[in-house]
Amino acid sequence: MEKQLKIIGMSGSLRKGSYNTGALRYVEQAMSKDVVYKTLDISDLPFYNQDFDTSGYPDVALAFKEELRDADAVLLATPEYNYSIPPVLKNALDWASRGDEKPLVGKLAALLSVTIGPLGGARVQYHLRQTLLALDMKVLNRPELFIADAAEKFDEDGNMQDEKTKKYTKRLIDALVEEIKKSK
Amino acid sequence: MEKQLKIIGMSGSLRKGSYNTGALRYVEQAMSKDVVYKTLDISDLPFYNQDFDTSGYPDVALAFKEELRDADAVLLATPEYNYSIPPVLKNALDWASRGDEKPLVGKLAALLSVTIGPLGGARVQYHLRQTLLALDMKVLNRPELFIADAAEKFDEDGNMQDEKTKKYTKRLIDALVEEIKKSK
């Protein structure tokens, strides 16, 4: 039997009612059942610094890298903090890139961003793409998914409500799954 | 009597023998005595998220913003993590930008980056400039200071040894102090 595809989601927001984490809940729900999908909690990773390379990595970082090991792709959902990447997400990517085992190298990535403002994260995604280039990941060029004016498209708990937004999100998921299958 | 000028330094590296933190030690030493200079510890700030806006800010964040309140400028020294900003530094800037009091708006900033590789942080500085634009800071255009091949210019404890590098760093400090004076 063929191994099941596995996609890991990460959210750049720790806010309880986060729209981005909510978008990943929709991703989980809309993902085809033959794909294993899991949103990882990245909030407990300490700030990476190079001293860990000699002192050894904390358990939480080892567990994080272990989760990435057999993943085929990651799906990142992020707000924009000061025209760039939220530190919690950037830190997770930095951890994934360090040490002898680099579990994301050569793997696929897809991006979405949700903001309450009108730009939908147009700036953060290109900073993310530059960082993912450093990680040697293959980021989908299309579709680009910028979800603006989030308060109109999600409820107060961060659940995606807008049908058009769901459709675009489903398109992104489908494109990612298709690309994983092509790469096999 | 005129109020003393005050410059706050922040390092993007938490590594014990950090070259960037070492560069800030040289900054402290080379700063003219009529300027108050202090390197802030930003390692204890938790990851910012918007829930803090309603629950209230932790003491460490309030103390951090208090330190920035009467500063005239910041000097940022940073390594490059995956072609972008180390999360510990980005997180400090995010904290400075949130809440009713925004202690860095309109103030001056100067940048330097130190890397062991040959590019000297050419990528991280432009991501930083984009974020500092979001913070509405006035970043010095010149001099641009990229310190490459750090292992040849610093000792093992991260102390700046190279005379040329000291000269360039002094030039950056002088330009920043001059710009603060002009802005008064």
Side-chain angles (χ1 to χ4, degrees):
Chain A
M1 214 179 98
E2 245 178 270
K3 202 184 132 292
Q4 275 194 302
L5 305 187
K6 182 179 170 190
I7 297 174
I8 289 290
M10 294 185 231
S11 171
S13 174
L14 301 179
R15 190 168 71 87
K16 273 197 200 73
S18 162
Y19 301 127
N20 282 283
T21 309
L24 291 179
R25 280 195 303 277
Y26 176 72
V27 165
E28 181 162 16
Q29 181 192 321
M31 188 72 73
S32 65
K33 296 309 162 204
D34 59 332
V35 176
V36 178
Y37 173 83
K38 186 175 179 180
T39 300
L40 280 193
D41 180 0
I42 55 175
S43 66
D44 289 335
L45 290 164
F47 287 117
Y48 170 80
N49 84 71
Q50 221 180 337
D51 286 337
F52 285 113
D53 292 355
T54 44
S55 69
Y57 291 171
D59 288 344
V60 62
L62 294 172
F64 170 67
K65 294 182 79 170
E66 167 107 26
E67 286 279 8
L68 300 177
R69 191 173 301 152
D70 62 345
D72 297 290
V74 296
L75 200 162
L76 308 180
T78 187
E80 183 172 285
Y81 278 17
N82 288 314
Y83 303 176
S84 189
I85 310 172
V88 68
L89 178 59
K90 174 64 165 48
N91 188 51
L93 296 172
D94 289 341
W95 273 109
S97 75
R98 301 302 309 223
D100 292 332
E101 196 201 354
K102 294 177 176 58
L104 293 183
V105 167
K107 291 184 179 171
L108 288 158
L111 310 183
L112 70 88
S113 50
V114 191
T115 68
I116 48 170
L119 298 189
R123 292 163 295 214
V124 61
Q125 286 205 19
Y126 301 104
H127 276 199
L128 255 184
R129 283 180 184 269
Q130 181 161 314
T131 283
L132 295 170
L133 175 65
L135 265 71
D136 195 12
M137 295 199 77
K138 294 170 188 154
V139 188
L140 293 198
N141 287 352
R142 298 282 187 283
E144 296 196 288
L145 181 51
F146 303 99
I147 304 173
D149 306 314
E152 300 166 16
K153 296 166 184 162
F154 291 75
D155 66 21
E156 279 185 6
D157 297 322
N159 297 305
M160 194 184 282
Q161 299 294 343
D162 182 62
E163 290 304 321
K164 232 183 208 170
T165 306
K166 287 182 179 178
K167 193 177 77 183
Y168 290 136
T169 305
K170 186 73 172 68
R171 250 183 226 169
L172 180 69
I173 302 170
D174 291 346
L176 180 58
V177 170
E178 191 186 348
E179 201 61 30
I180 297 173
K181 287 179 177 166
K182 268 203 262 176
S183 73
K184 289 280 176 185
Chain B
M1 215 179 98
E2 245 180 88
K3 204 186 130 288
Q4 275 195 301
L5 304 187
K6 181 179 169 188
I7 297 174
I8 290 291
M10 293 185 231
S11 171
S13 174
L14 302 179
R15 191 169 70 87
K16 274 199 199 70
S18 161
Y19 300 128
N20 283 283
T21 309
L24 290 180
R25 280 195 301 278
Y26 176 73
V27 165
E28 180 161 18
Q29 180 191 322
M31 188 72 72
S32 66
K33 296 308 162 205
D34 59 334
V35 176
V36 179
Y37 173 83
K38 185 174 180 182
T39 300
L40 280 194
D41 180 359
I42 55 174
S43 65
D44 289 335
L45 290 164
F47 287 117
Y48 169 79
N49 85 71
Q50 222 180 336
D51 286 336
F52 285 113
D53 292 355
T54 44
S55 69
Y57 291 172
D59 287 345
V60 62
L62 294 172
F64 171 66
K65 293 182 80 171
E66 166 107 28
E67 286 280 8
L68 300 177
R69 191 172 301 152
D70 62 344
D72 296 290
V74 297
L75 200 162
L76 308 180
T78 186
E80 182 172 285
Y81 279 16
N82 288 314
Y83 303 176
S84 189
I85 310 171
V88 68
L89 179 59
K90 175 63 165 49
N91 188 51
L93 297 172
D94 289 339
W95 273 108
S97 75
R98 301 302 309 225
D100 291 332
E101 195 201 355
K102 295 179 175 57
L104 294 183
V105 168
K107 290 185 179 171
L108 288 157
L111 309 182
L112 70 87
S113 50
V114 191
T115 68
I116 50 171
L119 298 189
R123 291 163 295 213
V124 62
Q125 286 205 20
Y126 301 104
H127 276 199
L128 255 184
R129 282 180 184 270
Q130 182 161 313
T131 283
L132 295 170
L133 175 65
L135 265 70
D136 194 12
M137 296 199 76
K138 293 169 187 155
V139 188
L140 293 197
N141 287 350
R142 299 280 188 282
E144 296 196 288
L145 182 52
F146 303 98
I147 305 173
D149 306 315
E152 299 166 16
K153 295 166 185 163
F154 291 76
D155 67 21
E156 280 185 7
D157 298 321
N159 297 304
M160 194 185 281
Q161 299 294 343
D162 182 63
E163 291 305 322
K164 233 185 210 168
T165 306
K166 287 183 180 178
K167 194 178 75 184
Y168 291 135
T169 305
K170 187 73 172 69
R171 249 182 228 171
L172 180 69
I173 303 170
D174 291 346
L176 180 58
V177 171
E178 191 186 347
E179 202 60 30
I180 297 173
K181 288 179 177 165
K182 267 202 263 177
S183 72
K184 291 277 176 190

Short mmCIF file of all heavy atoms in Angstrom, two decimals, chain A residues 40-82:
data_model
loop_
_atom_site.label_atom_id
_atom_site.label_comp_id
_atom_site.label_asym_id
_atom_site.label_seq_id
_atom_site.Cartn_x
_atom_site.Cartn_y
_atom_site.Cartn_z
N LEU A 40 0.70 22.07 13.63
CA LEU A 40 1.66 21.94 14.73
C LEU A 40 1.59 23.15 15.66
O LEU A 40 1.46 24.29 15.20
CB LEU A 40 3.08 21.86 14.20
CG LEU A 40 3.59 20.53 13.68
CD1 LEU A 40 5.10 20.60 13.51
CD2 LEU A 40 3.22 19.37 14.61
N ASP A 41 1.74 22.90 16.94
CA ASP A 41 1.88 23.97 17.92
C ASP A 41 3.36 24.38 17.95
O ASP A 41 4.22 23.57 18.30
CB ASP A 41 1.44 23.47 19.29
CG ASP A 41 1.57 24.55 20.36
OD1 ASP A 41 2.01 25.68 20.04
OD2 ASP A 41 1.24 24.26 21.52
N ILE A 42 3.64 25.61 17.57
CA ILE A 42 5.05 26.06 17.54
C ILE A 42 5.33 27.11 18.61
O ILE A 42 6.39 27.73 18.62
CB ILE A 42 5.41 26.64 16.14
CG1 ILE A 42 4.43 27.76 15.76
CG2 ILE A 42 5.39 25.54 15.09
CD1 ILE A 42 4.78 28.48 14.46
N SER A 43 4.38 27.27 19.54
CA SER A 43 4.49 28.37 20.50
C SER A 43 5.52 28.13 21.60
O SER A 43 5.96 29.08 22.25
CB SER A 43 3.12 28.63 21.14
OG SER A 43 2.73 27.51 21.93
N ASP A 44 5.89 26.86 21.81
CA ASP A 44 6.78 26.55 22.94
C ASP A 44 8.25 26.49 22.55
O ASP A 44 9.11 26.23 23.41
CB ASP A 44 6.37 25.22 23.58
CG ASP A 44 5.06 25.35 24.35
OD1 ASP A 44 4.73 26.49 24.76
OD2 ASP A 44 4.38 24.33 24.52
N LEU A 45 8.55 26.66 21.29
CA LEU A 45 9.96 26.65 20.88
C LEU A 45 10.65 27.89 21.44
O LEU A 45 10.17 29.00 21.25
CB LEU A 45 10.06 26.66 19.35
CG LEU A 45 9.63 25.37 18.63
CD1 LEU A 45 9.40 25.65 17.14
CD2 LEU A 45 10.69 24.28 18.81
N PRO A 46 11.77 27.72 22.13
CA PRO A 46 12.49 28.91 22.60
C PRO A 46 13.13 29.62 21.41
O PRO A 46 13.25 29.03 20.33
CB PRO A 46 13.57 28.33 23.52
CG PRO A 46 13.82 26.95 22.99
CD PRO A 46 12.49 26.47 22.43
N PHE A 47 13.54 30.86 21.61
CA PHE A 47 14.27 31.55 20.54
C PHE A 47 15.53 30.73 20.20
O PHE A 47 16.34 30.45 21.09
CB PHE A 47 14.72 32.94 20.99
CG PHE A 47 13.61 33.94 21.08
CD1 PHE A 47 13.28 34.52 22.30
CD2 PHE A 47 12.90 34.32 19.96
CE1 PHE A 47 12.26 35.45 22.39
CE2 PHE A 47 11.87 35.25 20.04
CZ PHE A 47 11.55 35.82 21.26
N TYR A 48 15.67 30.37 18.94
CA TYR A 48 16.88 29.66 18.54
C TYR A 48 18.11 30.55 18.69
O TYR A 48 18.05 31.74 18.40
CB TYR A 48 16.78 29.21 17.07
CG TYR A 48 18.11 28.70 16.59
CD1 TYR A 48 18.53 27.41 16.89
CD2 TYR A 48 18.99 29.54 15.90
CE1 TYR A 48 19.78 26.96 16.52
CE2 TYR A 48 20.24 29.10 15.52
CZ TYR A 48 20.63 27.81 15.83
OH TYR A 48 21.87 27.38 15.47
N ASN A 49 19.20 29.98 19.19
CA ASN A 49 20.51 30.62 19.01
C ASN A 49 21.55 29.54 18.89
O ASN A 49 21.34 28.39 19.31
CB ASN A 49 20.81 31.66 20.10
CG ASN A 49 21.40 31.04 21.34
OD1 ASN A 49 22.56 30.60 21.33
ND2 ASN A 49 20.61 30.99 22.40
N GLN A 50 22.68 29.89 18.34
CA GLN A 50 23.67 28.91 17.92
C GLN A 50 24.28 28.12 19.08
O GLN A 50 24.86 27.06 18.85
CB GLN A 50 24.78 29.63 17.14
CG GLN A 50 25.25 28.86 15.92
CD GLN A 50 26.33 29.61 15.17
OE1 GLN A 50 26.44 30.84 15.29
NE2 GLN A 50 27.15 28.89 14.42
N ASP A 51 24.16 28.63 20.31
CA ASP A 51 24.68 27.88 21.45
C ASP A 51 23.99 26.51 21.57
O ASP A 51 24.59 25.56 22.07
CB ASP A 51 24.50 28.66 22.75
CG ASP A 51 25.48 29.83 22.86
OD1 ASP A 51 26.55 29.78 22.21
OD2 ASP A 51 25.19 30.79 23.60
N PHE A 52 22.73 26.42 21.10
CA PHE A 52 22.04 25.14 21.14
C PHE A 52 22.75 24.09 20.28
O PHE A 52 22.62 22.90 20.52
CB PHE A 52 20.59 25.29 20.65
CG PHE A 52 19.66 25.96 21.63
CD1 PHE A 52 19.12 27.20 21.37
CD2 PHE A 52 19.31 25.32 22.82
CE1 PHE A 52 18.24 27.81 22.27
CE2 PHE A 52 18.43 25.92 23.72
CZ PHE A 52 17.91 27.17 23.44
N ASP A 53 23.48 24.54 19.25
CA ASP A 53 24.18 23.59 18.38
C ASP A 53 25.24 22.82 19.15
O ASP A 53 25.58 21.69 18.79
CB ASP A 53 24.83 24.31 17.19
CG ASP A 53 23.79 24.89 16.24
OD1 ASP A 53 22.59 24.66 16.43
OD2 ASP A 53 24.20 25.59 15.28
N THR A 54 25.78 23.42 20.19
CA THR A 54 26.78 22.72 20.99
C THR A 54 26.18 22.13 22.28
O THR A 54 26.54 21.03 22.68
CB THR A 54 27.95 23.66 21.36
OG1 THR A 54 27.43 24.93 21.76
CG2 THR A 54 28.85 23.89 20.15
N SER A 55 25.24 22.84 22.90
CA SER A 55 24.68 22.35 24.17
C SER A 55 23.66 21.25 23.94
O SER A 55 23.31 20.52 24.86
CB SER A 55 24.02 23.51 24.93
OG SER A 55 22.85 23.94 24.26
N GLY A 56 23.18 21.13 22.71
CA GLY A 56 22.12 20.16 22.42
C GLY A 56 20.77 20.86 22.33
O GLY A 56 20.57 21.92 22.93
N TYR A 57 19.86 20.26 21.56
CA TYR A 57 18.56 20.88 21.33
C TYR A 57 17.57 20.48 22.41
O TYR A 57 17.56 19.33 22.85
CB TYR A 57 18.02 20.47 19.95
CG TYR A 57 18.79 21.08 18.80
CD1 TYR A 57 18.56 20.69 17.50
CD2 TYR A 57 19.77 22.06 19.02
CE1 TYR A 57 19.26 21.25 16.43
CE2 TYR A 57 20.46 22.63 17.96
CZ TYR A 57 20.21 22.22 16.68
OH TYR A 57 20.90 22.76 15.63
N PRO A 58 16.71 21.41 22.84
CA PRO A 58 15.69 21.06 23.82
C PRO A 58 14.68 20.06 23.24
O PRO A 58 14.51 19.98 22.02
CB PRO A 58 15.00 22.40 24.12
CG PRO A 58 15.31 23.26 22.94
CD PRO A 58 16.63 22.81 22.40
N ASP A 59 14.03 19.30 24.11
CA ASP A 59 13.08 18.26 23.67
C ASP A 59 12.02 18.82 22.73
O ASP A 59 11.63 18.16 21.76
CB ASP A 59 12.39 17.63 24.89
CG ASP A 59 13.36 16.74 25.66
OD1 ASP A 59 14.42 16.38 25.09
OD2 ASP A 59 13.06 16.42 26.83
N VAL A 60 11.55 20.03 23.03
CA VAL A 60 10.47 20.60 22.23
C VAL A 60 10.93 20.83 20.79
O VAL A 60 10.16 20.65 19.84
CB VAL A 60 9.95 21.90 22.89
CG1 VAL A 60 11.02 22.97 22.97
CG2 VAL A 60 8.72 22.43 22.18
N ALA A 61 12.21 21.16 20.62
CA ALA A 61 12.74 21.36 19.27
C ALA A 61 12.95 20.02 18.56
O ALA A 61 12.69 19.89 17.35
CB ALA A 61 14.05 22.14 19.32
N LEU A 62 13.39 19.02 19.32
CA LEU A 62 13.57 17.68 18.73
C LEU A 62 12.22 17.10 18.30
O LEU A 62 12.10 16.52 17.22
CB LEU A 62 14.26 16.75 19.73
CG LEU A 62 15.71 17.15 20.07
CD1 LEU A 62 16.24 16.27 21.21
CD2 LEU A 62 16.62 17.06 18.85
N ALA A 63 11.20 17.30 19.14
CA ALA A 63 9.87 16.79 18.82
C ALA A 63 9.31 17.49 17.59
O ALA A 63 8.67 16.88 16.73
CB ALA A 63 8.93 16.98 20.01
N PHE A 64 9.59 18.79 17.50
CA PHE A 64 9.14 19.58 16.34
C PHE A 64 9.77 19.04 15.05
O PHE A 64 9.08 18.80 14.05
CB PHE A 64 9.52 21.05 16.57
CG PHE A 64 9.33 21.94 15.39
CD1 PHE A 64 8.07 22.21 14.90
CD2 PHE A 64 10.43 22.53 14.75
CE1 PHE A 64 7.88 23.05 13.80
CE2 PHE A 64 10.26 23.37 13.66
CZ PHE A 64 8.98 23.62 13.18
N LYS A 65 11.07 18.83 15.08
CA LYS A 65 11.75 18.33 13.88
C LYS A 65 11.28 16.90 13.54
O LYS A 65 11.19 16.54 12.36
CB LYS A 65 13.27 18.39 14.05
CG LYS A 65 13.77 19.85 14.16
CD LYS A 65 15.28 19.94 14.28
CE LYS A 65 15.94 19.77 12.93
NZ LYS A 65 17.39 20.10 12.99
N GLU A 66 11.00 16.13 14.56
CA GLU A 66 10.49 14.78 14.34
C GLU A 66 9.15 14.81 13.58
O GLU A 66 8.93 14.01 12.67
CB GLU A 66 10.30 14.12 15.72
CG GLU A 66 9.49 12.84 15.71
CD GLU A 66 10.36 11.62 15.92
OE1 GLU A 66 11.44 11.76 16.54
OE2 GLU A 66 9.97 10.54 15.45
N GLU A 67 8.29 15.75 13.95
CA GLU A 67 7.00 15.87 13.27
C GLU A 67 7.17 16.22 11.79
O GLU A 67 6.36 15.86 10.94
CB GLU A 67 6.15 16.98 13.92
CG GLU A 67 5.56 16.62 15.26
CD GLU A 67 4.29 15.77 15.13
OE1 GLU A 67 3.95 15.34 14.01
OE2 GLU A 67 3.65 15.55 16.17
N LEU A 68 8.23 16.98 11.49
CA LEU A 68 8.45 17.41 10.11
C LEU A 68 9.09 16.31 9.26
O LEU A 68 9.01 16.34 8.03
CB LEU A 68 9.37 18.65 10.08
CG LEU A 68 8.87 19.90 10.83
CD1 LEU A 68 9.92 20.99 10.76
CD2 LEU A 68 7.55 20.39 10.23
N ARG A 69 9.71 15.36 9.94
CA ARG A 69 10.56 14.39 9.23
C ARG A 69 9.83 13.67 8.11
O ARG A 69 10.34 13.57 7.00
CB ARG A 69 11.13 13.38 10.23
CG ARG A 69 12.21 12.50 9.64
CD ARG A 69 12.85 11.64 10.71
NE ARG A 69 13.44 12.46 11.77
CZ ARG A 69 13.58 12.07 13.04
NH1 ARG A 69 13.16 10.86 13.41
NH2 ARG A 69 14.14 12.86 13.93
N ASP A 70 8.63 13.15 8.39
CA ASP A 70 7.93 12.37 7.36
C ASP A 70 6.84 13.18 6.66
O ASP A 70 5.98 12.61 5.97
CB ASP A 70 7.37 11.08 7.94
CG ASP A 70 6.34 11.34 9.03
OD1 ASP A 70 6.28 12.49 9.52
OD2 ASP A 70 5.60 10.41 9.38
N ALA A 71 6.88 14.50 6.84
CA ALA A 71 5.91 15.34 6.12
C ALA A 71 6.34 15.49 4.66
O ALA A 71 7.53 15.47 4.35
CB ALA A 71 5.81 16.71 6.77
N ASP A 72 5.36 15.63 3.78
CA ASP A 72 5.66 15.90 2.37
C ASP A 72 5.70 17.39 2.08
O ASP A 72 6.33 17.82 1.12
CB ASP A 72 4.60 15.25 1.48
CG ASP A 72 4.60 13.74 1.61
OD1 ASP A 72 5.58 13.13 1.14
OD2 ASP A 72 3.68 13.18 2.22
N ALA A 73 4.99 18.14 2.89
CA ALA A 73 4.86 19.58 2.60
C ALA A 73 4.40 20.31 3.86
O ALA A 73 3.91 19.71 4.80
CB ALA A 73 3.82 19.80 1.49
N VAL A 74 4.60 21.62 3.83
CA VAL A 74 4.05 22.46 4.90
C VAL A 74 3.12 23.49 4.30
O VAL A 74 3.30 23.92 3.15
CB VAL A 74 5.14 23.18 5.75
CG1 VAL A 74 6.02 22.16 6.48
CG2 VAL A 74 5.98 24.11 4.90
N LEU A 75 2.13 23.87 5.07
CA LEU A 75 1.22 24.93 4.67
C LEU A 75 1.29 25.99 5.77
O LEU A 75 0.99 25.73 6.93
CB LEU A 75 -0.19 24.37 4.52
CG LEU A 75 -1.16 25.21 3.68
CD1 LEU A 75 -2.34 24.36 3.23
CD2 LEU A 75 -1.64 26.44 4.39
N LEU A 76 1.74 27.18 5.40
CA LEU A 76 1.93 28.24 6.39
C LEU A 76 0.82 29.28 6.26
O LEU A 76 0.53 29.75 5.16
CB LEU A 76 3.30 28.91 6.18
CG LEU A 76 4.50 27.96 6.13
CD1 LEU A 76 5.79 28.74 5.92
CD2 LEU A 76 4.59 27.11 7.39
N ALA A 77 0.21 29.59 7.39
CA ALA A 77 -0.84 30.62 7.43
C ALA A 77 -0.39 31.69 8.40
O ALA A 77 -0.10 31.40 9.56
CB ALA A 77 -2.15 30.01 7.91
N THR A 78 -0.30 32.91 7.92
CA THR A 78 0.33 33.91 8.78
C THR A 78 -0.28 35.30 8.68
O THR A 78 -0.68 35.74 7.59
CB THR A 78 1.84 34.00 8.46
OG1 THR A 78 2.46 34.86 9.43
CG2 THR A 78 2.10 34.55 7.07
N PRO A 79 -0.34 35.99 9.81
CA PRO A 79 -0.63 37.41 9.76
C PRO A 79 0.64 38.16 9.36
O PRO A 79 1.70 37.55 9.15
CB PRO A 79 -1.02 37.75 11.21
CG PRO A 79 -0.27 36.77 12.04
CD PRO A 79 -0.11 35.53 11.20
N GLU A 80 0.54 39.47 9.26
CA GLU A 80 1.71 40.29 8.95
C GLU A 80 2.00 41.16 10.15
O GLU A 80 1.12 41.87 10.63
CB GLU A 80 1.38 41.15 7.73
CG GLU A 80 2.53 42.00 7.25
CD GLU A 80 2.19 42.70 5.93
OE1 GLU A 80 2.19 42.03 4.89
OE2 GLU A 80 1.89 43.90 5.96
N TYR A 81 3.21 41.07 10.65
CA TYR A 81 3.62 41.91 11.78
C TYR A 81 4.64 42.92 11.28
O TYR A 81 5.76 42.55 10.89
CB TYR A 81 4.30 41.05 12.86
CG TYR A 81 3.37 40.31 13.81
CD1 TYR A 81 2.03 40.10 13.52
CD2 TYR A 81 3.87 39.80 15.01
CE1 TYR A 81 1.20 39.42 14.39
CE2 TYR A 81 3.05 39.11 15.89
CZ TYR A 81 1.72 38.92 15.57
OH TYR A 81 0.91 38.24 16.44
N ASN A 82 4.27 44.18 11.29
CA ASN A 82 5.20 45.22 10.85
C ASN A 82 5.85 44.91 9.50
O ASN A 82 7.07 44.90 9.35
CB ASN A 82 6.27 45.48 11.93
CG ASN A 82 5.69 46.21 13.12
OD1 ASN A 82 4.96 47.19 12.96
ND2 ASN A 82 5.97 45.73 14.32
#
